[in-house]
């Protein structure tokens, strides 16, 4: 089993690019099954979650090829509407295939999805929304048996702006001859990227990026090429690493507007931040300062995925920082591992109180989820001595060339078998 060896307390220097967004490319790949021609997806990161998604596409009868950041998807000789349980359990985002498969074939069979253990993440909103769109859904032996029964114009009011539910609605509604309105829709940039892809294929989606989305379906999807947006959480992770370790870094190939809450927090902590058109220049010289209460919220609020890396940096800040997690119940699992490194963290329910310490110390820690694993690496870069991180399968789900990119900034980091 591989581990990461990180020898910390080395300031980071240089430039690092941000790869394509994991949370954007997965639903886009699911959407390619709608097209009877070739789809070419560029700026696709080489992640284990992407590999799992391509396995699902092949199971559904598509030919999928990945090379040098480019995915080519083509129709196969056969098609299928069922995703086996073993593939569904590899990643949480597998549930977005539900809407796409239903739009393509009118029926779908799949189990509940897997992914990181972050507490209850029910797909009730997905299912209730699809039922409103005329889908009949039953459960048999742990499988969801779904079939399209009737098509009509629909107005759906989401009780929570769920990204996954919004994506599933879009993926199904774009393939039916009707008009769908989604109220209280998710506003994340990844929703806009999916809408851009679907519109390029021939659909008509208005309002993506706002809380009110209108979808006019089509039965003819044309071949398309698309470049995936930058991964804002990867960018936030690199910025957090500089905050923890110190130094001066230009994080490139990103959209700074997508990172506004993170940049504000880092500036409050004492980092010098200069945002350009597609670059963020960060300098951390001197001890970090504590930050105001950080509350995770749906976009454009502070992203839950950035909470863990920022917490790792806050562990080294002078003063007390309070984190309130409003999205997932079990998103503080990394806190116990940070405490093993010398952090002073108290967790009570959805609230974590971090009292900054002068130093963290290297030790053996284990990643239990994707962003928590990245947080441990951020802490290790700012710690004294060597840190060994296990559970790299979690980090590999969302970070392409993670240690290679950090080494380019001067970090002493190695993957050891």
């Amino acid at each position: 089993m591989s581990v990461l060896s990180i020898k910390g307390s080395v300031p980071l220097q240089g430039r690092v690019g941000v790869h394509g967004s994991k949370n954007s490319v997965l639903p886009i790949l699911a959407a390619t099954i709608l097209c009877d021609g070739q789809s070419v997806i560029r700026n696709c990161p080489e992640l284990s979650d992407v590999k799992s998604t391509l396995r699902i596409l092949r199971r559904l009868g598509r030919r999928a090829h990945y090379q040098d950041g480019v995915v080519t998807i083509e129709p196969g000789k056969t098609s299928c509407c069922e995703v086996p349980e073993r593939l569904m359990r590899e990643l949480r985002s597998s549930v977005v295939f539900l809407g796409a498969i239903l739009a393509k074939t009118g029926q779908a069979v799949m189990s509940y999805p897997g992914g990181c253990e972050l507490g209850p993440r029910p797909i009730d909103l997905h299912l209730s929304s699809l039922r409103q769109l005329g889908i009949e859904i039953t459960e048999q032996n742990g499988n969801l048996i779904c079939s399209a029964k009737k098509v009509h114009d629909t107005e759906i009011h989401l009780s929570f702006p769920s990204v996954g539910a919004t994506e599933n609605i879009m993926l199904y509604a774009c393939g039916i001859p009707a008009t769908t309105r989604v109220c209280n829709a998710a506003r994340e940039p990844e929703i806009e990227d999916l809408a851009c892809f679907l519109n390029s294929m021939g659909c008509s989606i208005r309002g993506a990026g706002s809380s009110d989305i209108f979808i006019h379906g089509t039965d003819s999807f044309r071949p398309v090429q698309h470049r995936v947006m930058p991964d804002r959480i990867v960018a936030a992770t690199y910025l957090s690493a500089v905050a923890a370790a110190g130094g001066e870094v230009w994080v490139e190939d990103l959209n700074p507007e997508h990172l506004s809450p993170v940049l504000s927090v880092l500036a409050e902590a004492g980092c010098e931040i200069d945002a350009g058109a597609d670059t963020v220049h960060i300098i951390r010289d001197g001890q970090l300062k504590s930050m105001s209460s950080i509350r995770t919220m749906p976009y454009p609020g502070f992203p839950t995925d950035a909470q863990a890396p920022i917490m790792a940096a806050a562990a080294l800040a002078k003063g007390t920082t309070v984190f309130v997690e409003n999205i997932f119940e079990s998103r503080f699992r990394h806190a116990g591992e940070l405490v093993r490194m010398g952090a002073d963290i108290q967790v009570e329910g959805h609230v974590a109180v971090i009292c900054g310490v002068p130093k963290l110390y290297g030790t053996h820690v284990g990643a239990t989820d994707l962003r928590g694993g990245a947080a441990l690496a951020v802490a290790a870069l700012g710690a004294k001595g060597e840190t060994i991180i296990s559970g790299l399968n979690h980090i590999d789900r969302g970070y392409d060339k993670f240690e290679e990119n950090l080494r380019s900034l001067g970090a002493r980091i190695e993957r050891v078998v």
Side-chain angles (χ1 to χ4, degrees), residues 241-258:
V242 180
E248 180 177 11
V249 169
W250 286 260
V251 183
E252 302 174 325
D253 306 322
L254 53 78
N255 186 336
E257 291 183 7
H258 297 164

Side-chain angles (χ1 to χ4, degrees), residues 61-343:
R62 296 280 148 167
R63 296 197 301 270
H65 176 71
Y66 180 95
Q67 185 174 5
D68 298 330
V70 179
V71 176
T72 303
I73 309 293
E74 296 177 319
K77 295 181 180 179
T78 61
S79 62
C80 176
C81 67
E82 182 175 355
V83 183
E85 180 181 8
R86 61 180 176 80
L87 292 178
M88 285 295 296
R89 292 194 174 278
E90 288 184 8
L91 72 160
R92 180 71 184 181
S93 297
S94 57
V95 72
V96 299
F97 274 96
L98 185 54
I101 295 171
L102 283 166
K104 183 65 176 177
T105 68
Q107 53 188 346
V109 179
M110 59 176 57
S111 68
Y112 286 88
C116 287
E117 296 296 333
L118 300 176
R121 295 197 285 179
I123 61 172
D124 295 355
L125 271 180
H126 299 244
L127 303 184
S128 64
S129 299
L130 290 171
R131 286 190 172 104
Q132 291 179 63
L133 286 164
I135 303 299
E136 182 179 280
I137 304 173
T138 59
E139 184 173 344
Q140 296 179 11
N141 300 320
N143 285 327
L144 298 170
I145 313 298
C146 311
S147 59
K149 293 299 182 182
K150 53 186 177 181
V151 173
H152 49 76
D153 292 351
T154 308
E155 184 172 296
I156 298 174
H157 294 260
L158 293 177
S159 59
F160 178 83
S162 162
V163 173
T166 302
E167 291 168 343
N168 248 329
I169 295 168
M170 291 169 62
L171 287 167
Y172 177 65
C174 73
I176 59 175
T179 298
T180 303
R181 179 183 181 184
V182 189
C183 303
N184 197 31
R187 299 168 58 188
E188 272 73 2
E190 294 80 8
I191 296 293
E192 292 187 72
D193 205 25
L194 176 60
C196 179
F197 178 77
L198 292 171
N199 284 338
S200 297
M201 291 176 69
C203 189
S204 175
I205 301 175
R206 295 183 292 109
S210 75
S211 58
D212 210 6
I213 300 178
F214 293 85
I215 307 155
H216 301 278
T218 182
D219 58 0
S220 178
F221 292 94
R222 54 178 173 260
V224 65
Q225 296 193 24
H226 182 81
R227 182 175 178 83
V228 178
M229 63 169 278
D231 195 312
R232 59 195 174 104
I233 306 305
V234 169
T237 302
Y238 291 145
L239 293 167
S240 300
V242 180
E248 180 177 11
V249 169
W250 286 260
V251 183
E252 302 174 325
D253 306 322
L254 53 78
N255 186 336
E257 291 183 7
H258 297 164
L259 289 163
S260 293
V262 174
L263 299 182
S264 296
V265 163
L266 291 173
E268 182 183 0
C271 298
E272 294 183 38
I273 302 290
D274 182 20
D278 59 359
T279 302
V280 172
H281 178 205
I282 179 171
I283 301 174
R284 200 278 277 171
D285 183 15
Q287 188 177 11
L288 289 173
K289 298 179 292 184
S290 60
M291 311 158 213
S292 301
S293 178
I294 297 174
R295 297 174 177 269
T296 64
M297 298 291 288
Y299 191 86
F302 191 92
T304 180
D305 282 354
Q307 173 255 109
I310 291 291
M311 182 184 290
L316 288 162
K318 184 178 181 179
T320 300
T321 303
V322 177
F323 287 78
V324 181
E325 175 56 55
N326 292 307
I327 308 298
F328 295 128
E329 287 190 9
S330 301
R331 200 101 210 215
F332 291 143
R333 297 177 67 187
H334 54 280
E337 297 301 281
L338 292 175
V339 169
R340 288 170 56 84
M341 300 178 69

Side-chain angles (χ1 to χ4, degrees), residues 360-383:
L360 295 175
Y361 297 91
T363 186
H364 286 72
V365 291
T368 57
D369 61 82
L370 169 56
R371 306 306 174 185
L376 298 180
V378 168
L381 291 167

Side-chain angles (χ1 to χ4, degrees), residues 15-19 234 238 399-411 413:
R15 297 176 180 271
V16 62
V18 175
H19 61 65
V234 169
Y238 291 145
Y399 294 87
D400 188 0
K401 300 180 178 62
F402 187 58
E403 57 267 30
E404 179 180 324
N405 288 335
L406 288 171
R407 271 200 304 273
S408 73
L409 300 176
I413 177 172

